Amino acid sequence: MTPSTLISTQNIHKSYSNTLLFQNLSITIHSGERIGLIGPNGAGKSTLLKIMASLEQVDSGDISFSSGLRVSYLPQTDTFDERLSIREVISQHFPHHLEPWEIQKQLNDIQDQMQFSDLDKISGTLSGGWKKRVALACVLAQDNDLVLLDEPTNHLDLQGILWLESFLQNARFAFIMISHDRFILENTCNRIMDLDRRYKEGYLKVKGNYSRFLQDQEKVLNDQRVEEEALSNKVRREIDWLRHGPKARTTKAQYRVDKAYDMIDDLTELKQRNNLQTEAGLKFESGDRRSKKLLHARGISKSRGGHSLFKDLELLLSPRMKIGIMGINGSGKSSLIDVLRGKLDADTGEVEITQGVNLVTLDQSRHLPDETLSLKRALAPDGDTVIFHGNPLHVSAWAKKFLFQKEQLELPVSQLSGGERARVLLAKIMLETAEILILDEPTNDLDIPTLEVLEESLQEFMGALLLITHDRYLMDRVCDEIIYLAGDGTVKVFADTYQLTNYQKSLNNIDQPLEVRSPTTNKLRHQELKTLRKTFNKTERDIDKAELKKSALETELHNPANATDPAKLAELSKALEKLNAELETLLEDWETQGEAISKLEG
């Protein structure tokens, strides 16, 4: 059956003050589509959802909706009356024509689906994850055709994210979801739409999940670079003709003049799109300490309000160790960090930090000391330059590394978006030299391009890392092991989020037992597995880099500009042959390492 059109936009334009979000945007949303909406901060993703929810107006252009379309919008922050019970909040959203018995039946179905234990519980007493379930329950009560979700994983723990993933996989409605969680994009979406001015249409929409999107995106951007090179050669010839050719007096000659100037305009526009900076320049500076022991926690325990957060926890941090910390909301992750850095006393045990070791922390509060400070002063408190990796850098160049424009430097930080504030804080801690780097939920409000650079910079960081995040992709790419706080004082250790996810699922299914190692058992096996996974992750990164180099070489090899240069073609062919051999070896190593890991995990 041919999918029907739900929403269609024609050449819509939207800006705030002097900031352009998007222009001439023409997109179509069909029934059955489960769209993951991504793009750099400031591209207008949230605004686009509000326009589709009829909460914002376009500056120009048209938007049309199918007849009788039922749309729900879930903002990042839930907006229901928290004085009401769960039952009362949901009941407000049922259609008025339903009979009481029909409402009760649907309430029972929703309660089962959302796993609410008590519908009469006051909604204001719920955690962020359960409040998100209440908001989604209101969507189910309305029986919508299209649901618009703005960062629904914000404030959810892993358990909540896994539940949301399952919920969306089984949803009967179409949806558009803004998210930077690449696992949830991979597992729930059948379309990915990247809102980004690098593309000619202002966006790229790909049929398939996130993996397929990455493949298609690389091809599109490569094609644009090839197009730029070819167009550049044409423009060069036309400019030469304009300079030396006969005066354009005939209609035919005037047509060629007009065409030449059109090509010059097209080339300028294409160059601007291909050279748009979308990635922040993140790079953490580590100390040169040779000591193998930076921090040693021995048998530490902590309780709060008579409730045990963690007990008998052992942790030894050395340079290049990267430890992830996960757990349900309220399990004590931030308290553990505070104990380790000496901001909170442990109930039992001790924490020894080697003398002179510098701990640098990014906490999840995103607190900036003075909201009235200009962006310029927040980035460079002591003048117009900063010292980065031993070199002076002007504040405007420093700001550019973090995707800020020169015109923003005099803005007060209070006017910055969540993603911009996150980049300011990252800029501040990157000016410090750290032996131990502690990041508490660094991914909040960051877009995917910035996340990818953050991953790379953390992988290259030579100091020790403690990372609290619910981003499974980031955790698996960066960390050697995961310390998991179960919420009852129990501490468990996992090699990656795949193991942890299976453990979470096993809690609700006794027929699928899973061996979970504690920090004090199977140490030799765990150490071997950790080393293997680290090697495996490095091999994966090497494969990614080799494939990017291969793609670039192939582009050069097929570049028309090189077609008449036999020496250049021979050089490129030789380099490609060598790279293919290296790639084949890497793939063999990757397969061998993966099999070894599977045996140890099994």
Side-chain angles (χ1 to χ4, degrees), residues 60 112-113 116 165 188 194 240 245 269 301 310 326 369 387 398 418 455 465 496 543 553 596:
S60 61
D112 289 341
Q113 192 167 352
F116 294 129
E165 199 170 270
T188 66
D194 188 9
D240 186 63
E269 187 262 345
S301 303
F310 50 86
M326 299 187 85
I387 304 300
W398 182 238
E455 282 161 17
L465 171 70
D496 53 27
I543 289 171
L553 281 173

Side-chain angles (χ1 to χ4, degrees), residues 174-373:
F175 64 76
I176 305 175
M177 172 176 60
I178 298 173
S179 182
H180 63 254
D181 187 318
R182 286 154 289 182
F183 270 30
I184 209 165
L185 292 171
E186 178 77 11
N187 296 333
T188 66
C189 297
N190 58 21
R191 302 286 190 282
I192 302 293
M193 186 161 72
D194 188 9
L195 194 62
D196 194 328
R197 278 177 281 173
R198 286 185 295 172
Y199 310 115
K200 187 174 183 179
E201 305 297 329
Y203 72 97
L204 174 65
K205 187 176 179 183
V206 170
K207 183 178 181 180
N209 58 12
Y210 187 68
S211 296
R212 179 56 188 268
F213 163 77
L214 290 176
Q215 295 173 20
D216 285 16
Q217 181 199 42
E218 184 180 358
K219 183 179 184 305
V220 167
L221 293 177
N222 276 336
D223 287 348
Q224 285 189 179
R225 285 189 283 269
V226 171
E227 182 187 355
E228 180 186 334
E229 183 66 30
L231 189 56
S232 182
N233 291 333
K234 286 182 182 179
V235 166
R236 198 177 298 116
R237 289 194 297 271
E238 292 301 308
I239 289 175
D240 186 63
W241 176 82
L242 286 170
R243 285 174 178 166
H244 302 104
K247 290 184 178 180
R249 292 177 179 171
T250 66
T251 303
K252 185 175 181 181
Q254 186 60 48
Y255 166 75
R256 184 168 177 182
V257 170
D258 293 340
K259 184 180 177 183
Y261 283 119
D262 286 343
M263 277 197 291
I264 292 170
D265 290 341
D266 290 344
L267 179 61
T268 301
E269 187 262 345
L270 185 55
K271 280 184 174 179
Q272 288 174 344
R273 285 195 283 112
N274 284 345
N275 292 293
L276 275 175
Q277 185 184 0
T278 60
E279 298 176 348
L282 308 181
K283 189 172 183 180
F284 297 97
E285 185 168 4
S286 59
D288 56 0
R289 186 174 293 272
R290 302 294 180 184
S291 171
K292 288 188 176 181
K293 185 173 74 172
L294 301 176
L295 179 150
H296 193 182
R298 301 180 184 90
I300 59 172
S301 303
K302 188 66 184 176
S303 297
R304 186 172 56 211
H307 176 71
S308 176
L309 299 177
F310 50 86
K311 55 190 176 185
D312 302 325
L313 190 146
E314 299 276 339
L315 178 64
L316 176 64
L317 279 184
S318 303
R320 301 218 68 171
M321 282 188 67
K322 296 175 172 61
I323 307 297
I325 301 174
M326 299 187 85
I328 64 172
N329 288 337
S331 61
K333 301 183 293 296
S334 295
S335 296
L336 172 58
I337 290 296
D338 285 341
V339 168
L340 293 175
R341 64 183 181 139
K343 298 293 184 182
L344 187 67
D345 291 331
D347 297 338
T348 64
E350 62 177 358
V351 177
E352 177 191 354
I353 301 175
T354 301
Q355 188 174 6
V357 165
N358 189 31
L359 287 83
V360 175
T361 304
L362 173 70
D363 63 43
Q364 61 176 303
S365 67
R366 298 285 191 269
H367 177 66
L368 289 164
D370 187 349
E371 296 284 323
T372 63
L373 278 180

Side-chain angles (χ1 to χ4, degrees), residues 403-421:
L403 307 182
F404 293 111
Q405 303 301 315
K406 191 175 181 180
E407 298 76 28
Q408 293 179 276
L409 288 174
E410 299 305 325
L411 282 176
V413 294
S414 59
Q415 293 185 20
L416 299 180
S417 68
E420 288 169 334
R421 293 165 72 90

Side-chain angles (χ1 to χ4, degrees), residues 28 61 72 150 163 241 246 503:
T28 304
S72 269
D150 195 348
W163 173 85
W241 176 82
Y503 168 69

Side-chain angles (χ1 to χ4, degrees), residues 64-84:
S64 57
F65 301 86
S66 66
S67 177
L69 179 69
R70 295 164 296 182
V71 181
S72 269
Y73 167 70
L74 266 73
Q76 292 187 32
T77 304
D78 303 312
T79 56
F80 48 79
D81 189 340
E82 296 190 355
R83 297 169 297 179
L84 301 179

Side-chain angles (χ1 to χ4, degrees), residues 457-473:
S457 65
L458 291 177
Q459 287 165 352
E460 294 173 353
F461 179 60
M462 301 298 288
L465 171 70
L466 290 172
L467 174 65
I468 296 178
T469 183
H470 296 306
D471 189 316
R472 291 165 287 173
Y473 194 92

